[in-house]
Amino acid sequence: DLATAFNDRGQIKYLRVEFAAAMEDYTAAIECQPGFEVPYYNRGLVLYRLGCFDEAMKDFRKVLELNPQFEDAALSLKQAILDKEEKQKRSY
């Protein structure tokens, strides 16, 4: 389906370190199928890598709302919270 195709193309771009393009594809996948948790998770990973912790946490929380059993999303959310706290302690 189209949402899966956008997500898969986003993965290829992510692996090429084309983060902006990957996020566009993940967002397109979400728009096609809002209940598909995987592109939220993938977009959250990109946002996390870019240091956009609040946005990443929002995506990880959405994944867990859609699928509470998605363990990688739970772990990623915890890590984003810790890293945000660390960043605030260093205040940069």
Side-chain angles (χ1 to χ4, degrees), residues 19-59:
F19 293 149
M23 283 204 313
E24 286 176 16
D25 281 342
Y26 297 142
T27 300
I30 290 164
E31 289 168 357
C32 287
Q33 192 177 335
F36 183 25
E37 72 271 20
V38 176
Y40 287 102
Y41 175 71
N42 290 332
R43 187 173 70 180
L45 290 177
V46 174
L47 289 164
Y48 172 82
R49 288 203 49 190
L50 295 174
C52 303
F53 299 123
D54 288 330
E55 295 91 339
M57 289 186 291
K58 184 178 174 187
D59 275 350

Side-chain angles (χ1 to χ4, degrees), residues 74-87:
L75 291 171
S76 295
L77 175 59
K78 287 179 187 172
Q79 191 61 53
I81 291 168
L82 290 172
D83 289 354
K84 179 184 176 188
E85 290 171 356
E86 185 63 30
K87 183 178 179 180

Side-chain angles (χ1 to χ4, degrees), residues 3-37:
T4 301
F6 276 125
N7 183 70
D8 292 349
R9 189 171 75 177
Q11 283 296 96
I12 292 165
K13 292 176 181 177
Y14 177 80
L15 293 172
R16 292 181 180 162
V17 197
E18 297 171 6
F19 293 149
M23 283 204 313
E24 286 176 16
D25 281 342
Y26 297 142
T27 300
I30 290 164
E31 289 168 357
C32 287
Q33 192 177 335
F36 183 25
E37 72 271 20

Side-chain angles (χ1 to χ4, degrees), residues 50-77:
L50 295 174
C52 303
F53 299 123
D54 288 330
E55 295 91 339
M57 289 186 291
K58 184 178 174 187
D59 275 350
F60 295 143
R61 285 186 177 109
K62 182 66 177 178
V63 172
L64 294 169
E65 176 187 314
L66 294 169
N67 178 359
Q69 308 305 315
F70 201 123
E71 289 184 27
D72 286 345
L75 291 171
S76 295
L77 175 59

